[in-house]
Amino acid sequence: MEDVSLLWLFCTFFYIGLFTIGGGLVAITLMQQTVVDKGLISPELFYNMIAISESTPGPVGVNMATFMGYKFYGVPGAIITSIAEVLPSLICILIIARIILQFRENRCVQTVFNFLRPAATGMIFVIMLRITLNVLVNVPSDLKDLLNNSIWKDLFVWPSLAFYIFLLWMRTRFKMHPILMILSGALFGIVFF
């Protein structure tokens, strides 16, 4: 893990908070590009952070920022990254609250929001696909491996896939509450991985 300064953490998470339009799940994509793709933490640790952040109360983007700040600098890092993550939203809300009534019916404003909704949905879909592939599928490193017959038996992470199918069945058959699903997933991850 590379050393980073508190100022770098603040600026990075301020940037992430500034461009997170559509919720905390969109922030995960930006965090991955900023922190994982640059080699500051491993993808495995990043996905573990997502699982923990999804399982704990509060906005997932802020939970992730807090967790990463704590990973680098302990409690001061957690405080800095949390503030940096929410500060752009706070500033925007204060500005928008003063002028929203004047521009609420403006066609340009409505057009911008009509563009942002599908863009945010696409970013959420990308991170959902990455998490699914990371957790359920052993992605082969080479096309030759994919064509090899023995790869098919190792293509899936069978315990995870079986548990996922079980939870889907429980949800559809018995209307299992989402909180119980989250707690079951957390317990499954702790016990088996």
Side-chain angles (χ1 to χ4, degrees), residues 18-48:
L18 186 62
F19 290 101
T20 299
I21 299 169
L25 294 175
V26 176
I28 293 173
T29 303
L30 293 173
M31 287 179 199
Q32 183 173 23
Q33 293 170 349
T34 308
V35 182
V36 178
D37 293 350
K38 292 186 179 179
L40 297 175
I41 62 171
S42 69
E44 182 179 347
L45 177 61
F46 183 73
Y47 292 122
N48 287 337

PDB file of all heavy atoms in Angstrom, residues 18-48:
ATOM      1  N   LEU A  18     -18.037  15.387  -5.042  1.00  0.00           N
ATOM      2  CA  LEU A  18     -18.491  16.409  -5.987  1.00  0.00           C
ATOM      3  C   LEU A  18     -19.123  15.789  -7.232  1.00  0.00           C
ATOM      4  O   LEU A  18     -20.106  16.299  -7.760  1.00  0.00           O
ATOM      5  CB  LEU A  18     -17.305  17.298  -6.382  1.00  0.00           C
ATOM      6  CG  LEU A  18     -17.601  18.510  -7.252  1.00  0.00           C
ATOM      7  CD1 LEU A  18     -18.531  19.470  -6.518  1.00  0.00           C
ATOM      8  CD2 LEU A  18     -16.296  19.210  -7.615  1.00  0.00           C
ATOM      9  N   PHE A  19     -18.574  14.673  -7.690  1.00  0.00           N
ATOM     10  CA  PHE A  19     -19.064  14.063  -8.929  1.00  0.00           C
ATOM     11  C   PHE A  19     -19.941  12.833  -8.697  1.00  0.00           C
ATOM     12  O   PHE A  19     -20.243  12.105  -9.637  1.00  0.00           O
ATOM     13  CB  PHE A  19     -17.887  13.731  -9.853  1.00  0.00           C
ATOM     14  CG  PHE A  19     -17.258  14.961 -10.408  1.00  0.00           C
ATOM     15  CD1 PHE A  19     -16.078  15.447  -9.876  1.00  0.00           C
ATOM     16  CD2 PHE A  19     -17.869  15.664 -11.432  1.00  0.00           C
ATOM     17  CE1 PHE A  19     -15.495  16.600 -10.364  1.00  0.00           C
ATOM     18  CE2 PHE A  19     -17.299  16.821 -11.931  1.00  0.00           C
ATOM     19  CZ  PHE A  19     -16.114  17.306 -11.397  1.00  0.00           C
ATOM     20  N   THR A  20     -20.357  12.608  -7.470  1.00  0.00           N
ATOM     21  CA  THR A  20     -21.258  11.505  -7.176  1.00  0.00           C
ATOM     22  C   THR A  20     -22.682  12.000  -7.336  1.00  0.00           C
ATOM     23  O   THR A  20     -23.262  12.547  -6.419  1.00  0.00           O
ATOM     24  CB  THR A  20     -21.031  10.974  -5.751  1.00  0.00           C
ATOM     25  OG1 THR A  20     -19.698  10.504  -5.653  1.00  0.00           O
ATOM     26  CG2 THR A  20     -21.975   9.833  -5.441  1.00  0.00           C
ATOM     27  N   ILE A  21     -23.216  11.795  -8.525  1.00  0.00           N
ATOM     28  CA  ILE A  21     -24.588  12.187  -8.810  1.00  0.00           C
ATOM     29  C   ILE A  21     -25.364  10.897  -8.993  1.00  0.00           C
ATOM     30  O   ILE A  21     -25.102  10.133  -9.905  1.00  0.00           O
ATOM     31  CB  ILE A  21     -24.666  13.061 -10.078  1.00  0.00           C
ATOM     32  CG1 ILE A  21     -23.855  14.330  -9.858  1.00  0.00           C
ATOM     33  CG2 ILE A  21     -26.110  13.364 -10.425  1.00  0.00           C
ATOM     34  CD1 ILE A  21     -23.621  15.145 -11.085  1.00  0.00           C
ATOM     35  N   GLY A  22     -26.276  10.638  -8.080  1.00  0.00           N
ATOM     36  CA  GLY A  22     -27.057   9.422  -8.172  1.00  0.00           C
ATOM     37  C   GLY A  22     -26.923   8.529  -6.964  1.00  0.00           C
ATOM     38  O   GLY A  22     -27.458   7.435  -6.936  1.00  0.00           O
ATOM     39  N   GLY A  23     -26.198   8.962  -5.965  1.00  0.00           N
ATOM     40  CA  GLY A  23     -26.110   8.175  -4.737  1.00  0.00           C
ATOM     41  C   GLY A  23     -24.763   7.547  -4.510  1.00  0.00           C
ATOM     42  O   GLY A  23     -23.849   7.633  -5.331  1.00  0.00           O
ATOM     43  N   GLY A  24     -24.662   6.881  -3.361  1.00  0.00           N
ATOM     44  CA  GLY A  24     -23.399   6.306  -2.919  1.00  0.00           C
ATOM     45  C   GLY A  24     -22.871   5.196  -3.797  1.00  0.00           C
ATOM     46  O   GLY A  24     -21.660   4.981  -3.876  1.00  0.00           O
ATOM     47  N   LEU A  25     -23.769   4.473  -4.472  1.00  0.00           N
ATOM     48  CA  LEU A  25     -23.291   3.403  -5.343  1.00  0.00           C
ATOM     49  C   LEU A  25     -22.492   3.955  -6.523  1.00  0.00           C
ATOM     50  O   LEU A  25     -21.573   3.302  -7.012  1.00  0.00           O
ATOM     51  CB  LEU A  25     -24.462   2.544  -5.830  1.00  0.00           C
ATOM     52  CG  LEU A  25     -25.167   1.748  -4.732  1.00  0.00           C
ATOM     53  CD1 LEU A  25     -26.395   1.027  -5.284  1.00  0.00           C
ATOM     54  CD2 LEU A  25     -24.219   0.759  -4.091  1.00  0.00           C
ATOM     55  N   VAL A  26     -22.836   5.139  -6.970  1.00  0.00           N
ATOM     56  CA  VAL A  26     -22.058   5.789  -8.028  1.00  0.00           C
ATOM     57  C   VAL A  26     -20.664   6.138  -7.495  1.00  0.00           C
ATOM     58  O   VAL A  26     -19.666   6.032  -8.200  1.00  0.00           O
ATOM     59  CB  VAL A  26     -22.782   7.040  -8.560  1.00  0.00           C
ATOM     60  CG1 VAL A  26     -21.939   7.767  -9.580  1.00  0.00           C
ATOM     61  CG2 VAL A  26     -24.125   6.653  -9.160  1.00  0.00           C
ATOM     62  N   ALA A  27     -20.596   6.518  -6.224  1.00  0.00           N
ATOM     63  CA  ALA A  27     -19.303   6.851  -5.611  1.00  0.00           C
ATOM     64  C   ALA A  27     -18.371   5.657  -5.616  1.00  0.00           C
ATOM     65  O   ALA A  27     -17.147   5.821  -5.727  1.00  0.00           O
ATOM     66  CB  ALA A  27     -19.512   7.343  -4.173  1.00  0.00           C
ATOM     67  N   ILE A  28     -18.910   4.457  -5.526  1.00  0.00           N
ATOM     68  CA  ILE A  28     -18.071   3.263  -5.516  1.00  0.00           C
ATOM     69  C   ILE A  28     -17.270   3.153  -6.800  1.00  0.00           C
ATOM     70  O   ILE A  28     -16.084   2.813  -6.782  1.00  0.00           O
ATOM     71  CB  ILE A  28     -18.930   2.000  -5.263  1.00  0.00           C
ATOM     72  CG1 ILE A  28     -19.496   2.049  -3.854  1.00  0.00           C
ATOM     73  CG2 ILE A  28     -18.122   0.729  -5.480  1.00  0.00           C
ATOM     74  CD1 ILE A  28     -20.490   0.953  -3.553  1.00  0.00           C
ATOM     75  N   THR A  29     -17.898   3.453  -7.930  1.00  0.00           N
ATOM     76  CA  THR A  29     -17.188   3.406  -9.213  1.00  0.00           C
ATOM     77  C   THR A  29     -16.037   4.403  -9.219  1.00  0.00           C
ATOM     78  O   THR A  29     -14.918   4.070  -9.637  1.00  0.00           O
ATOM     79  CB  THR A  29     -18.158   3.711 -10.370  1.00  0.00           C
ATOM     80  OG1 THR A  29     -19.235   2.785 -10.326  1.00  0.00           O
ATOM     81  CG2 THR A  29     -17.455   3.598 -11.706  1.00  0.00           C
ATOM     82  N   LEU A  30     -16.286   5.619  -8.757  1.00  0.00           N
ATOM     83  CA  LEU A  30     -15.225   6.625  -8.723  1.00  0.00           C
ATOM     84  C   LEU A  30     -14.122   6.233  -7.742  1.00  0.00           C
ATOM     85  O   LEU A  30     -12.937   6.455  -7.999  1.00  0.00           O
ATOM     86  CB  LEU A  30     -15.803   7.990  -8.342  1.00  0.00           C
ATOM     87  CG  LEU A  30     -16.740   8.630  -9.362  1.00  0.00           C
ATOM     88  CD1 LEU A  30     -17.369   9.890  -8.796  1.00  0.00           C
ATOM     89  CD2 LEU A  30     -16.008   8.934 -10.649  1.00  0.00           C
ATOM     90  N   MET A  31     -14.506   5.645  -6.606  1.00  0.00           N
ATOM     91  CA  MET A  31     -13.505   5.202  -5.630  1.00  0.00           C
ATOM     92  C   MET A  31     -12.629   4.102  -6.211  1.00  0.00           C
ATOM     93  O   MET A  31     -11.418   4.085  -5.990  1.00  0.00           O
ATOM     94  CB  MET A  31     -14.185   4.712  -4.355  1.00  0.00           C
ATOM     95  CG  MET A  31     -14.761   5.804  -3.514  1.00  0.00           C
ATOM     96  SD  MET A  31     -15.559   5.113  -2.045  1.00  0.00           S
ATOM     97  CE  MET A  31     -16.595   6.476  -1.576  1.00  0.00           C
ATOM     98  N   GLN A  32     -13.255   3.201  -6.950  1.00  0.00           N
ATOM     99  CA  GLN A  32     -12.467   2.121  -7.546  1.00  0.00           C
ATOM    100  C   GLN A  32     -11.447   2.693  -8.526  1.00  0.00           C
ATOM    101  O   GLN A  32     -10.284   2.299  -8.512  1.00  0.00           O
ATOM    102  CB  GLN A  32     -13.367   1.118  -8.246  1.00  0.00           C
ATOM    103  CG  GLN A  32     -12.578  -0.049  -8.819  1.00  0.00           C
ATOM    104  CD  GLN A  32     -13.450  -1.133  -9.363  1.00  0.00           C
ATOM    105  OE1 GLN A  32     -14.597  -0.916  -9.713  1.00  0.00           O
ATOM    106  NE2 GLN A  32     -12.906  -2.326  -9.453  1.00  0.00           N
ATOM    107  N   GLN A  33     -11.858   3.622  -9.363  1.00  0.00           N
ATOM    108  CA  GLN A  33     -10.943   4.230 -10.320  1.00  0.00           C
ATOM    109  C   GLN A  33      -9.836   5.007  -9.623  1.00  0.00           C
ATOM    110  O   GLN A  33      -8.694   5.016 -10.075  1.00  0.00           O
ATOM    111  CB  GLN A  33     -11.703   5.175 -11.262  1.00  0.00           C
ATOM    112  CG  GLN A  33     -12.651   4.470 -12.182  1.00  0.00           C
ATOM    113  CD  GLN A  33     -13.542   5.437 -12.926  1.00  0.00           C
ATOM    114  OE1 GLN A  33     -13.613   6.624 -12.628  1.00  0.00           O
ATOM    115  NE2 GLN A  33     -14.248   4.925 -13.923  1.00  0.00           N
ATOM    116  N   THR A  34     -10.154   5.639  -8.517  1.00  0.00           N
ATOM    117  CA  THR A  34      -9.193   6.496  -7.836  1.00  0.00           C
ATOM    118  C   THR A  34      -8.262   5.739  -6.907  1.00  0.00           C
ATOM    119  O   THR A  34      -7.083   6.060  -6.818  1.00  0.00           O
ATOM    120  CB  THR A  34      -9.947   7.575  -7.024  1.00  0.00           C
ATOM    121  OG1 THR A  34     -10.868   8.225  -7.888  1.00  0.00           O
ATOM    122  CG2 THR A  34      -8.999   8.596  -6.461  1.00  0.00           C
ATOM    123  N   VAL A  35      -8.771   4.734  -6.219  1.00  0.00           N
ATOM    124  CA  VAL A  35      -7.999   4.080  -5.170  1.00  0.00           C
ATOM    125  C   VAL A  35      -7.501   2.692  -5.586  1.00  0.00           C
ATOM    126  O   VAL A  35      -6.328   2.378  -5.417  1.00  0.00           O
ATOM    127  CB  VAL A  35      -8.820   3.994  -3.863  1.00  0.00           C
ATOM    128  CG1 VAL A  35      -8.022   3.359  -2.758  1.00  0.00           C
ATOM    129  CG2 VAL A  35      -9.262   5.386  -3.426  1.00  0.00           C
ATOM    130  N   VAL A  36      -8.378   1.884  -6.171  1.00  0.00           N
ATOM    131  CA  VAL A  36      -7.998   0.510  -6.522  1.00  0.00           C
ATOM    132  C   VAL A  36      -7.168   0.483  -7.796  1.00  0.00           C
ATOM    133  O   VAL A  36      -6.107  -0.148  -7.841  1.00  0.00           O
ATOM    134  CB  VAL A  36      -9.252  -0.387  -6.674  1.00  0.00           C
ATOM    135  CG1 VAL A  36      -8.855  -1.793  -7.096  1.00  0.00           C
ATOM    136  CG2 VAL A  36     -10.030  -0.417  -5.384  1.00  0.00           C
ATOM    137  N   ASP A  37      -7.648   1.154  -8.836  1.00  0.00           N
ATOM    138  CA  ASP A  37      -6.945   1.113 -10.122  1.00  0.00           C
ATOM    139  C   ASP A  37      -5.556   1.735 -10.046  1.00  0.00           C
ATOM    140  O   ASP A  37      -4.696   1.436 -10.870  1.00  0.00           O
ATOM    141  CB  ASP A  37      -7.775   1.804 -11.214  1.00  0.00           C
ATOM    142  CG  ASP A  37      -9.059   1.037 -11.535  1.00  0.00           C
ATOM    143  OD1 ASP A  37      -9.197  -0.112 -11.053  1.00  0.00           O
ATOM    144  OD2 ASP A  37      -9.917   1.581 -12.252  1.00  0.00           O
ATOM    145  N   LYS A  38      -5.315   2.585  -9.054  1.00  0.00           N
ATOM    146  CA  LYS A  38      -3.980   3.174  -8.869  1.00  0.00           C
ATOM    147  C   LYS A  38      -3.118   2.346  -7.926  1.00  0.00           C
ATOM    148  O   LYS A  38      -2.005   2.728  -7.598  1.00  0.00           O
ATOM    149  CB  LYS A  38      -4.109   4.606  -8.358  1.00  0.00           C
ATOM    150  CG  LYS A  38      -4.713   5.523  -9.404  1.00  0.00           C
ATOM    151  CD  LYS A  38      -4.704   6.963  -8.975  1.00  0.00           C
ATOM    152  CE  LYS A  38      -5.293   7.800 -10.095  1.00  0.00           C
ATOM    153  NZ  LYS A  38      -5.350   9.195  -9.744  1.00  0.00           N
ATOM    154  N   GLY A  39      -3.654   1.222  -7.447  1.00  0.00           N
ATOM    155  CA  GLY A  39      -2.869   0.299  -6.642  1.00  0.00           C
ATOM    156  C   GLY A  39      -2.725   0.661  -5.173  1.00  0.00           C
ATOM    157  O   GLY A  39      -1.872   0.101  -4.484  1.00  0.00           O
ATOM    158  N   LEU A  40      -3.555   1.578  -4.669  1.00  0.00           N
ATOM    159  CA  LEU A  40      -3.437   1.960  -3.266  1.00  0.00           C
ATOM    160  C   LEU A  40      -3.992   0.885  -2.333  1.00  0.00           C
ATOM    161  O   LEU A  40      -3.496   0.718  -1.224  1.00  0.00           O
ATOM    162  CB  LEU A  40      -4.143   3.292  -3.020  1.00  0.00           C
ATOM    163  CG  LEU A  40      -3.547   4.477  -3.784  1.00  0.00           C
ATOM    164  CD1 LEU A  40      -4.384   5.721  -3.565  1.00  0.00           C
ATOM    165  CD2 LEU A  40      -2.117   4.722  -3.361  1.00  0.00           C
ATOM    166  N   ILE A  41      -5.026   0.180  -2.778  1.00  0.00           N
ATOM    167  CA  ILE A  41      -5.527  -0.976  -2.027  1.00  0.00           C
ATOM    168  C   ILE A  41      -5.855  -2.073  -3.033  1.00  0.00           C
ATOM    169  O   ILE A  41      -6.044  -1.809  -4.225  1.00  0.00           O
ATOM    170  CB  ILE A  41      -6.781  -0.636  -1.172  1.00  0.00           C
ATOM    171  CG1 ILE A  41      -7.945  -0.196  -2.051  1.00  0.00           C
ATOM    172  CG2 ILE A  41      -6.472   0.379  -0.106  1.00  0.00           C
ATOM    173  CD1 ILE A  41      -9.256  -0.067  -1.288  1.00  0.00           C
ATOM    174  N   SER A  42      -5.950  -3.294  -2.553  1.00  0.00           N
ATOM    175  CA  SER A  42      -6.218  -4.430  -3.437  1.00  0.00           C
ATOM    176  C   SER A  42      -7.709  -4.482  -3.783  1.00  0.00           C
ATOM    177  O   SER A  42      -8.554  -4.019  -3.004  1.00  0.00           O
ATOM    178  CB  SER A  42      -5.807  -5.734  -2.762  1.00  0.00           C
ATOM    179  OG  SER A  42      -6.684  -6.015  -1.684  1.00  0.00           O
ATOM    180  N   PRO A  43      -8.038  -5.059  -4.936  1.00  0.00           N
ATOM    181  CA  PRO A  43      -9.449  -5.213  -5.285  1.00  0.00           C
ATOM    182  C   PRO A  43     -10.215  -6.037  -4.244  1.00  0.00           C
ATOM    183  O   PRO A  43     -11.366  -5.732  -3.934  1.00  0.00           O
ATOM    184  CB  PRO A  43      -9.416  -5.944  -6.634  1.00  0.00           C
ATOM    185  CG  PRO A  43      -8.091  -5.600  -7.212  1.00  0.00           C
ATOM    186  CD  PRO A  43      -7.166  -5.467  -6.035  1.00  0.00           C
ATOM    187  N   GLU A  44      -9.574  -7.061  -3.693  1.00  0.00           N
ATOM    188  CA  GLU A  44     -10.237  -7.893  -2.691  1.00  0.00           C
ATOM    189  C   GLU A  44     -10.621  -7.075  -1.461  1.00  0.00           C
ATOM    190  O   GLU A  44     -11.736  -7.171  -0.959  1.00  0.00           O
ATOM    191  CB  GLU A  44      -9.333  -9.052  -2.287  1.00  0.00           C
ATOM    192  CG  GLU A  44      -9.970  -9.982  -1.290  1.00  0.00           C
ATOM    193  CD  GLU A  44      -9.073 -11.143  -0.907  1.00  0.00           C
ATOM    194  OE1 GLU A  44      -8.050 -11.379  -1.571  1.00  0.00           O
ATOM    195  OE2 GLU A  44      -9.406 -11.802   0.081  1.00  0.00           O
ATOM    196  N   LEU A  45      -9.690  -6.236  -0.984  1.00  0.00           N
ATOM    197  CA  LEU A  45      -9.990  -5.375   0.159  1.00  0.00           C
ATOM    198  C   LEU A  45     -11.111  -4.399  -0.189  1.00  0.00           C
ATOM    199  O   LEU A  45     -11.997  -4.138   0.613  1.00  0.00           O
ATOM    200  CB  LEU A  45      -8.738  -4.616   0.610  1.00  0.00           C
ATOM    201  CG  LEU A  45      -8.941  -3.622   1.750  1.00  0.00           C
ATOM    202  CD1 LEU A  45      -9.429  -4.328   3.015  1.00  0.00           C
ATOM    203  CD2 LEU A  45      -7.649  -2.868   2.034  1.00  0.00           C
ATOM    204  N   PHE A  46     -11.074  -3.873  -1.407  1.00  0.00           N
ATOM    205  CA  PHE A  46     -12.103  -2.931  -1.850  1.00  0.00           C
ATOM    206  C   PHE A  46     -13.479  -3.587  -1.818  1.00  0.00           C
ATOM    207  O   PHE A  46     -14.446  -3.004  -1.311  1.00  0.00           O
ATOM    208  CB  PHE A  46     -11.776  -2.431  -3.256  1.00  0.00           C
ATOM    209  CG  PHE A  46     -12.736  -1.406  -3.778  1.00  0.00           C
ATOM    210  CD1 PHE A  46     -12.728  -0.112  -3.291  1.00  0.00           C
ATOM    211  CD2 PHE A  46     -13.657  -1.740  -4.757  1.00  0.00           C
ATOM    212  CE1 PHE A  46     -13.618   0.842  -3.772  1.00  0.00           C
ATOM    213  CE2 PHE A  46     -14.544  -0.801  -5.247  1.00  0.00           C
ATOM    214  CZ  PHE A  46     -14.524   0.485  -4.757  1.00  0.00           C
ATOM    215  N   TYR A  47     -13.598  -4.808  -2.335  1.00  0.00           N
ATOM    216  CA  TYR A  47     -14.889  -5.488  -2.344  1.00  0.00           C
ATOM    217  C   TYR A  47     -15.331  -5.865  -0.929  1.00  0.00           C
ATOM    218  O   TYR A  47     -16.523  -5.869  -0.631  1.00  0.00           O
ATOM    219  CB  TYR A  47     -14.863  -6.706  -3.269  1.00  0.00           C
ATOM    220  CG  TYR A  47     -14.733  -6.293  -4.715  1.00  0.00           C
ATOM    221  CD1 TYR A  47     -13.683  -6.739  -5.494  1.00  0.00           C
ATOM    222  CD2 TYR A  47     -15.656  -5.431  -5.300  1.00  0.00           C
ATOM    223  CE1 TYR A  47     -13.555  -6.343  -6.821  1.00  0.00           C
ATOM    224  CE2 TYR A  47     -15.530  -5.025  -6.621  1.00  0.00           C
ATOM    225  CZ  TYR A  47     -14.482  -5.491  -7.375  1.00  0.00           C
ATOM    226  OH  TYR A  47     -14.366  -5.097  -8.680  1.00  0.00           O
ATOM    227  N   ASN A  48     -14.388  -6.161  -0.060  1.00  0.00           N
ATOM    228  CA  ASN A  48     -14.737  -6.390   1.342  1.00  0.00           C
ATOM    229  C   ASN A  48     -15.268  -5.111   1.983  1.00  0.00           C
ATOM    230  O   ASN A  48     -16.208  -5.144   2.777  1.00  0.00           O
ATOM    231  CB  ASN A  48     -13.532  -6.913   2.130  1.00  0.00           C
ATOM    232  CG  ASN A  48     -13.202  -8.343   1.795  1.00  0.00           C
ATOM    233  OD1 ASN A  48     -14.049  -9.095   1.320  1.00  0.00           O
ATOM    234  ND2 ASN A  48     -11.964  -8.732   2.012  1.00  0.00           N
TER     235      ASN A  48
END
